[in-house]
Amino acid sequence: MYLDVKGYVSTGIGNKIDQTERDNSSPTEGERTASLAAASRLRWLVNDANTEATPEEVANEWDTVKSHMELAPLGHLSFQPPLTRLHVDDDEIDRHVFEKLDEMEGVLTTRPEFGDFASWPANAQLATLSMCWALGPKFPFPKFQGHVASRNWVGAADECHFTPDVGTIIIRNKLDRAHLLLADKVEVQGLPTEQIALDLSDVFGVQGALLTLGFKPLAQDGADGPRTRGKVTEFQSANGLAQNGAFNDPDTVSGLASQLSGLGFTVFGV
């Protein structure tokens, strides 16, 4: 468990397990009870023994994390052991993510502007669910809602930004915008709307491609830094390519595109 930038207990990739109403504040007893119920939807394991944690251990961990509001601005790594002693494994995170996404989509599609959600390009669906993940499926963005209702993905890209624009939210906003612009390209060009499209024309897109293919850890931040060059080199080495670390190396981009296409992605920027 860790605190996000607003002081809410979370886990995994932004799985909020905190029902406190106000940012950066202690919960009421009722809010704490609701929060522990949310936390209990996950299967928590004790780090050293890898055995299932008891409800009391989960509650104690939640209380410990929530009591360290001063660490919230420092990011999730500041909550590593020995401060915390429980974890959830990757399969459990996947299960929980898809469960929550199904719940969010169920609420979202009851709203008139999102009634045709099932027919949208996959990139537009992904960007909108990303917004739901951060804001809840009832988020009030009138201009965005108007654009998606008329399938104006470019307009939606201009209105998908949310705040506070700090930390990983900066990257989320950039990704959401990129996916909506890709949705427009897919629809205009009559390409398969059920496939996620990726654009390899810049370092941001290449980072996303590398992450998709399992070359981690890597931040999709658009910066051509040492870690990005290292992961590009790792991909090049694994595929018999010249190991120059260049994200825009034509053979490397072609190799990434080939593998992504083989996995069912639509690829631009080759």
Side-chain angles (χ1 to χ4, degrees):
M1 300 182 200
Y2 62 90
L3 294 180
D4 67 12
V5 294
K6 293 186 177 182
Y8 294 112
V9 183
S10 305
T11 192
I13 48 174
N15 296 270
K16 183 180 172 185
I17 47 174
D18 193 333
Q19 298 300 313
T20 310
E21 287 293 326
R22 297 191 306 117
D23 298 353
N24 299 303
S25 64
S26 298
T28 65
E29 192 56 42
E31 290 169 346
R32 178 181 179 272
T33 299
S35 299
L36 294 180
S40 70
R41 292 177 61 182
L42 288 147
R43 180 173 180 265
W44 293 94
L45 302 174
V46 180
N47 290 342
D48 50 0
N50 213 39
T51 55
E52 191 162 353
T54 65
E56 291 76 17
E57 288 174 315
V58 174
N60 289 337
E61 185 106 322
W62 193 95
D63 289 336
T64 296
V65 170
K66 190 67 172 177
S67 70
H68 283 279
M69 210 72 68
E70 79 282 359
L71 298 179
L74 303 181
H76 68 281
L77 294 179
S78 61
F79 292 89
Q80 291 184 114
L83 180 63
T84 55
R85 55 185 298 270
L86 306 181
H87 71 279
V88 285
D89 63 24
D90 289 346
D91 288 343
E92 178 66 358
I93 288 291
D94 286 348
R95 181 200 65 77
H96 189 62
V97 165
F98 285 108
E99 180 181 84
K100 285 182 68 176
L101 287 174
D102 284 344
E103 291 174 359
M104 289 177 181
E105 184 176 340
V107 174
L108 184 74
T109 52
T110 64
R111 303 175 63 185
E113 302 92 339
F114 304 96
D116 292 332
F117 182 85
S119 70
W120 290 7
N123 289 80
Q125 293 177 336
L126 181 58
T128 303
L129 286 174
S130 170
M131 295 173 67
C132 289
W133 192 271
L135 304 168
K138 296 182 180 180
F139 65 88
F141 276 37
K143 291 182 180 179
F144 177 85
Q145 293 158 216
H147 288 314
V148 298
S150 61
R151 304 179 81 94
N152 177 3
W153 309 122
V154 174
D158 290 337
E159 298 295 340
C160 69
H161 183 278
F162 63 90
T163 57
D165 207 1
V166 296
T168 57
I169 297 177
I170 296 172
I171 297 172
R172 185 192 292 266
N173 280 327
K174 188 171 183 178
L175 276 168
D176 292 347
R177 176 177 172 78
H179 278 301
L180 287 162
L181 293 175
L182 284 168
D184 182 70
K185 292 180 72 171
V186 165
E187 201 153 79
V188 166
Q189 296 183 30
L191 298 171
T193 58
E194 71 277 6
Q195 295 180 190
I196 292 287
L198 297 174
D199 184 354
L200 306 185
S201 63
D202 58 18
V203 65
F204 188 74
V206 169
Q207 288 171 334
L210 289 167
L211 286 167
T212 300
L213 295 174
F215 288 84
K216 304 172 182 178
L218 178 63
Q220 190 172 4
D221 57 8
D224 185 22
R227 179 168 288 183
T228 296
R229 291 192 290 273
K231 290 302 173 182
V232 170
T233 301
E234 188 178 322
F235 174 82
Q236 292 168 335
S237 175
N239 290 276
L241 302 171
Q243 297 175 44
N244 54 31
F247 74 89
N248 55 357
D249 173 72
D251 291 337
T252 300
V253 173
S254 178
L256 287 168
S258 177
Q259 292 191 27
L260 291 167
S261 296
L263 292 172
F265 291 89
T266 295
V267 183
F268 294 104
V270 182

